[in-house]
Amino acid sequence: MVVLFGATSVLLPLAPAAAEPTELIVNGTLAEGRTVPTCFLSVGFGTHKTKVKMTNDVPAGSATGTRSYSINMTSHTSGDVKLIQDEAAGCAPTVSAGQSYDVSVDYKSTSDKNSITVFAHTADGWDYWKDLKTLPPSADWTTAQARIDNVPEGVDRLSFGVSLYGVGELKTTNYSLMEIPPPPPPPGDGELIVNGSLSAGSTVPTCFLSVGLGTHQTERTIDTDVPAGSATGTRSYSVNMTSHTSGDVKLIQDEAAGCAPTVSAGQSYDVSVDYKSTSDKNSITVFAHTADGWDYWKDLKTLPPSADWTTAQARIDNVPEGVDRLSFGVSLYGVGELKTTNYSLKQVALETPPGSQDPALIGSWEVLENPLPVRAIHSTLLEDGRLLLIAGSGNDGNDFAAGTFKAVVWNPGDNSFTDVPVPYDMFCAGHVTLPDGKVLLAGGTQAFPTGGEGPNAFEGSKFSYYFDPADNQFHPVTDMAGAHWYPSLTKLGNGDVWAAGGLNETGDGTTLTELFQYSSMSWLPQSSVPQTWSYWGTYPHMFLLDDGKMFYTGGHTFGNGLPGTGASIYDWKTAQIWDVPGLREKDMRDQAGSVFIGPAQDQRLMIVGGGNTDTNNPAINLVDIIDLNAPEPTFEPGPNLPGPGKLYVNLINLPDRTVLAANGAQYNRSGDVLTAAVYDPQTNNWLSINPDPTGRNYHSSSVLLPDGRVAVLGSNPADNSFELRISVYSPSYLHRGERPQITQAPETAGYGDILNLEVEGEVTAASLMAPMSSTHQTDTNARLIDLPLAGSGSSRTVQVPDNPNLVPPGPYMLTVLDADGVPSQAKWVRIS
């Protein structure tokens, strides 16, 4: 059977819009009566030659009757003929003003002159009202469907039929008129989709329609398979396409008033829907309503196959003038099974400054006057408070060809810069702070693209050096076993460094895992390193856990996520990998931000935003959080990042145990998003703050300074220019008056040691913070470690954890907090 949606032929069975509606047509199957069915009239007007009769030709498998009515028009000059409900009381259905009704009738016709015609009864009697739609010829039985919206005041009864107004034969049966029940109210919290969890309704969920077009074999069912932990419903809608020639199938919001959401011109809306699919032919499709009716608008994005439930998210920007309602769904346009649930549409809040501009609540930004002398691609905080800023060639092919490689050391205290000689192109290397405060550099660029093929044409280097803050020089160590461009370096509990990911010397993704042995200051040969032979991607977000294993959050750069769930626990000693469930939109985590939240002892990590620089779809603002202390760790949805979605998110731990998220862009190296927010783990909420005045995207980084400020550097948009201004954020705690102080603290400590501190102020907490070494929104070694605090007054003690996996050896910033969450200036202490 074929359903008509708008003027488009759709190969789908007709399904009710709501559970068990009441049929208002008497004898709609035409089973009763002789030459004209009971409760019907054969009427018309004009000049034509027409024969009418009852036939036994009915839709195959029809369980409702065995008769149809045939109108055979052999000549036509004017007028029409139609079978309609008799005007007699008890036949033509009674209706109510303000209500809406679904009309349907099965028909087949050799003519292209067919339309659904409606008559209305008022106190003045019966009269023609309107034609709802024209119907195309159909050699097979087809269900024509239309809607009567908002019956006018005074109309108390209706009658309808299919008019034939041209030469040909028309057969009809299975007449139906059903009142559309009022939809349930939207769920609140800004949600515009009614019954988005699909929990209400029968074969098709209330306020939804199953529609499509083209030629295919498709089965649709209600399913109880829903995302794990889904609190909003227990049903999904399954579309199983077993063959496909053309067209698609989708579940969309019903056109009825109160179902398809009302929208406002000029506003933007966030779309999301949970889905799983065995097909790679899925897309989010939107229909728009104007004064001219409903029409296809656009496809927002394509969706990859997903064996697990995934949240697909997109944005409808700037609704055009004249559009007042929207309807959307996930189109399946190829063989496979698609399941969907948890449909959502929410208006994007207009970006307005926070209610209070008090810096004590939202902090403040400053853009420094002196520009950077180099392109700061890589930023590392040194133990003396200066920053090592490395450009290498700085993504400048001319500098690479000329062998011009740059780096400087920046002193934030006096805003001075010291040039550092650079021995090779460290552009897109990996780096980490070693236990003695030196900075290990590994990998980088061996060759730039020669044919403009894009980032995958870069070739990796195997060179490795360390930077010594004592002499401001790079010193060579042994080469890595293989080449790496965009590797991640993660420090281990024994001070050694794990490294993997990136592209090799031929520009291909490398599966080689490397280990740097700190005691010998050399890279181990491949045969001495456990190998997974798995490609971790470029700059994989790999964090050391307190049990010595590692966790890959799913964050990376360039394109899709890894196969499987997108996130995993990894035992580097045995080369075993276990997928971890729950990460949403794993193929939209390119250039996301990842970070421990709260003390590292909590073993909770957050991944924020991201995009896909290959497909260049709009970035997402999803936040997922995982508790790795849980018996079965699973990512759970966190509160969405306020404002538009973005990639290139700079995510950073602050000493008051909050997380700053700043900068980013909606698209690959374009569309800067000027928003910022601070996440509080205690309340699980974001506080929107004023943004960095300088837009920043690709190749930007942020670093926490010892005085509690945050330096934000760089941006390398699509035109390959570079932002050389430095922005400095002073968090709210720097605007709340006097800060506590550490007046005395040891410079070194061992695991399990109790440290004696002298402090000033009402101190309530203490912590260690690892110095940041950041590039491409990636610092897998950043963490805040809580230190148990004892004592009172000015004499306090803190204890260093005895687990080196929790506190890998090296320099840390020691801070104390007062009761208002205001931190002290940091003191440096080296843990070994």
Side-chain angles (χ1 to χ4, degrees):
M1 189 179 295
V2 177
V3 176
L4 293 179
F5 178 66
T8 304
S9 181
V10 182
L11 294 176
L12 293 170
L14 177 65
E20 304 302 331
T22 301
E23 178 57 69
L24 301 179
I25 300 297
V26 176
N27 191 31
T29 63
L30 313 186
E32 299 177 7
R34 293 188 177 182
T35 56
V36 174
T38 301
C39 267
F40 279 79
L41 291 174
S42 185
V43 298
F45 70 101
T47 303
H48 45 77
K49 189 173 183 178
T50 304
K51 294 181 180 180
V52 297
K53 65 178 180 178
M54 299 299 301
T55 81
N56 294 323
D57 183 7
V58 294
S62 178
T64 54
T66 59
R67 303 202 311 170
S68 63
Y69 195 72
S70 169
I71 302 172
N72 188 7
M73 190 172 289
T74 55
S75 70
H76 179 270
T77 302
S78 64
D80 65 29
V81 178
K82 48 197 167 283
L83 184 73
I84 62 172
Q85 293 79 50
D86 193 337
E87 299 174 355
C91 288
T94 300
V95 295
S96 300
Q99 297 298 313
S100 297
Y101 296 82
D102 274 336
V103 171
S104 73
V105 57
D106 289 347
Y107 85 100
K108 61 195 304 186
S109 179
T110 63
S111 172
D112 61 352
K113 308 297 185 183
N114 317 281
S115 65
I116 298 178
T117 303
V118 182
F119 295 83
H121 181 268
T122 66
D124 297 327
W126 284 93
D127 202 359
Y128 166 80
W129 184 17
K130 59 182 175 182
D131 278 47
L132 294 180
K133 68 193 306 182
T134 58
L135 306 179
S138 178
D140 299 315
W141 280 103
T142 299
T143 298
Q145 189 178 46
R147 173 154 292 156
I148 298 171
D149 274 320
N150 194 21
V151 169
E153 286 294 332
V155 173
D156 57 5
R157 291 161 67 198
L158 294 176
S159 178
F160 79 92
V162 181
S163 300
L164 177 65
Y165 53 97
V167 172
E169 184 179 21
L170 166 71
K171 294 180 181 179
T172 56
T173 191
N174 294 333
Y175 287 72
S176 174
L177 183 74
M178 295 188 183
E179 181 178 336
I180 301 169
D189 191 30
E191 180 57 67
L192 300 178
I193 299 298
V194 176
N195 191 34
S197 65
L198 313 186
S199 57
S202 56
T203 54
V204 172
T206 300
C207 267
F208 280 78
L209 291 173
S210 186
V211 300
L213 73 156
T215 304
H216 40 75
Q217 292 292 324
T218 306
E219 297 177 356
R220 294 152 313 287
T221 57
I222 291 290
D223 204 300
T224 57
D225 183 9
V226 295
S230 179
T232 54
T234 57
R235 306 201 313 169
S236 60
Y237 197 72
S238 173
V239 177
N240 188 11
M241 191 173 288
T242 54
S243 71
H244 178 270
T245 303
S246 64
D248 64 30
V249 180
K250 47 200 167 279
L251 185 72
I252 63 172
Q253 293 77 52
D254 197 332
E255 300 172 358
C259 288
T262 299
V263 295
S264 300
Q267 300 298 312
S268 297
Y269 295 81
D270 278 333
V271 171
S272 73
V273 56
D274 289 343
Y275 84 98
K276 60 195 307 186
S277 179
T278 62
S279 173
D280 61 351
K281 307 296 185 183
N282 317 281
S283 65
I284 298 178
T285 303
V286 183
F287 295 83
H289 181 268
T290 66
D292 296 327
W294 284 93
D295 203 356
Y296 165 80
W297 184 16
K298 60 182 175 182
D299 278 47
L300 293 179
K301 67 190 300 186
T302 57
L303 305 179
S306 178
D308 300 311
W309 281 104
T310 300
T311 299
Q313 189 180 46
R315 172 156 290 169
I316 299 170
D317 275 318
N318 194 21
V319 170
E321 286 295 331
V323 172
D324 56 6
R325 291 160 67 200
L326 295 176
S327 180
F328 78 92
V330 181
S331 300
L332 178 65
Y333 52 96
V335 172
E337 184 177 23
L338 166 71
K339 296 181 181 181
T340 56
T341 190
N342 294 332
Y343 289 71
S344 174
L345 183 74
K346 291 184 178 183
Q347 183 175 329
V348 177
L350 293 176
E351 284 302 315
T352 56
S356 171
Q357 293 296 296
D358 184 355
L361 297 176
I362 63 171
S364 63
W365 289 90
E366 176 188 10
V367 179
L368 302 185
E369 293 183 2
N370 289 2
L372 290 164
V374 300
R375 294 183 164 198
I377 308 292
H378 307 271
S379 308
T380 301
L381 179 65
L382 304 175
E383 194 175 10
D384 56 16
R386 299 179 301 157
L387 273 76
L388 173 64
L389 308 178
I390 300 173
S393 62
N395 202 22
D396 187 326
N398 291 328
D399 280 356
F400 178 84
T404 303
F405 309 132
K406 300 176 182 178
V408 297
V409 173
W410 173 47
N411 186 342
D414 59 11
N415 203 26
S416 63
F417 299 92
T418 302
D419 289 337
V420 175
V422 180
Y424 78 102
D425 192 2
M426 295 178 177
F427 171 58
C428 295
H431 37 90
V432 64
T433 302
L434 294 171
D436 60 2
K438 299 180 176 70
V439 181
L440 178 67
L441 276 296
T445 302
Q446 172 179 282
F448 263 61
T450 56
E453 300 92 340
N456 288 347
F458 278 89
E459 296 175 5
S461 167
K462 61 173 61 177
F463 290 152
S464 184
Y465 282 71
Y466 71 85
F467 176 80
D468 189 345
D471 61 10
N472 288 346
Q473 297 291 317
F474 288 104
H475 302 268
V477 296
T478 60
D479 290 347
M480 304 177 84
H484 297 262
W485 185 78
Y486 276 65
S488 286
L489 273 60
T490 302
K491 187 162 52 176
L492 304 174
N494 61 359
D496 291 350
V497 176
W498 173 94
L503 307 184
N504 63 18
E505 65 277 3
T506 62
D508 298 314
T510 178
T511 62
L512 185 62
T513 301
E514 310 256 12
L515 276 177
F516 180 79
Q517 187 179 64
Y518 173 64
S519 61
S520 65
M521 291 293 284
S522 63
W523 291 94
L524 298 180
Q526 175 183 317
S527 59
S528 300
V529 182
Q531 298 293 327
T532 65
W533 303 117
S534 297
Y535 177 52
W536 286 108
T538 47
Y539 282 135
H541 295 194
M542 188 73 76
F543 291 80
L544 179 68
L545 303 179
D546 60 5
D547 63 359
K549 296 185 180 69
M550 305 179 83
F551 180 65
Y552 171 60
T553 69
H556 59 279
T557 61
F558 296 142
N560 290 343
L562 301 186
T565 63
S568 50
I569 293 174
Y570 160 50
D571 188 339
W572 63 272
K573 295 179 181 178
T574 62
Q576 291 177 285
I577 303 172
W578 300 269
D579 273 359
V580 172
L583 179 65
R584 298 175 292 169
E585 288 270 40
K586 76 176 185 68
D587 291 330
M588 289 290 288
R589 298 299 186 168
D590 180 350
Q591 312 280 357
S594 299
V595 73
F596 277 109
I597 55 175
Q601 286 94 330
D602 293 347
Q603 296 289 277
R604 298 175 70 231
L605 283 116
M606 163 191 285
I607 183 168
V608 175
N612 189 309
T613 53
D614 287 351
T615 63
N616 205 23
N617 288 322
I620 62 175
N621 65 350
L622 295 183
V623 174
D624 288 319
I625 297 173
I626 190 167
D627 180 357
L628 289 156
N629 281 330
E632 296 182 5
T634 301
F635 269 113
E636 300 289 346
N640 286 354
L641 185 67
K646 54 185 176 180
L647 62 168
Y648 313 114
V649 184
N650 284 306
L651 208 60
I652 188 170
N653 294 114
L654 298 178
D656 64 353
R657 292 162 166 73
T658 62
V659 176
L660 171 67
N663 310 109
Q666 199 168 12
Y667 299 97
N668 181 16
R669 303 180 73 179
S670 67
D672 289 349
V673 178
L674 296 181
T675 62
V678 174
Y679 174 77
D680 185 350
Q682 297 300 313
T683 63
N684 191 35
N685 281 316
W686 292 95
L687 171 67
S688 291
I689 63 173
N690 288 331
D692 181 350
T694 304
R696 300 180 188 275
N697 53 68
Y698 188 50
H699 288 153
S700 64
S701 61
S702 60
V703 176
L704 178 71
L705 303 177
D707 62 6
R709 298 181 299 161
V710 177
V712 188
L713 312 100
S715 184
N716 189 194
D719 63 4
N720 209 33
S721 62
F722 202 89
E723 176 58 64
L724 297 177
R725 292 173 292 177
I726 301 172
S727 296
V728 176
Y729 176 62
S730 295
S732 60
Y733 51 66
L734 295 180
H735 299 277
R736 298 184 203 153
E738 192 171 353
R739 303 171 66 179
Q741 297 183 47
I742 302 173
T743 58
Q744 183 175 328
E747 295 181 353
T748 61
Y751 293 102
D753 284 359
I754 294 176
L755 311 184
N756 295 310
L757 306 181
E758 292 294 323
V759 301
E760 292 181 0
E762 295 297 324
V763 173
T764 60
S767 61
L768 296 174
M769 298 194 73
M772 295 189 66
S773 188
S774 176
T775 188
H776 294 76
Q777 291 68 55
T778 308
D779 183 356
T780 64
N781 298 285
R783 59 183 61 204
L784 180 151
I785 302 103
D786 188 53
L787 300 181
L789 179 72
S792 60
S794 61
S795 296
R796 302 298 183 96
T797 63
V798 295
Q799 186 169 18
V800 178
D802 59 6
N803 182 356
N805 294 319
L806 188 65
V807 193
Y812 286 86
M813 293 183 286
L814 170 64
T815 61
V816 294
L817 288 175
D818 68 15
D820 292 328
V822 178
S824 66
Q825 171 97 9
K827 294 283 188 180
W828 287 96
V829 56
R830 190 178 292 180
I831 307 298
S832 60

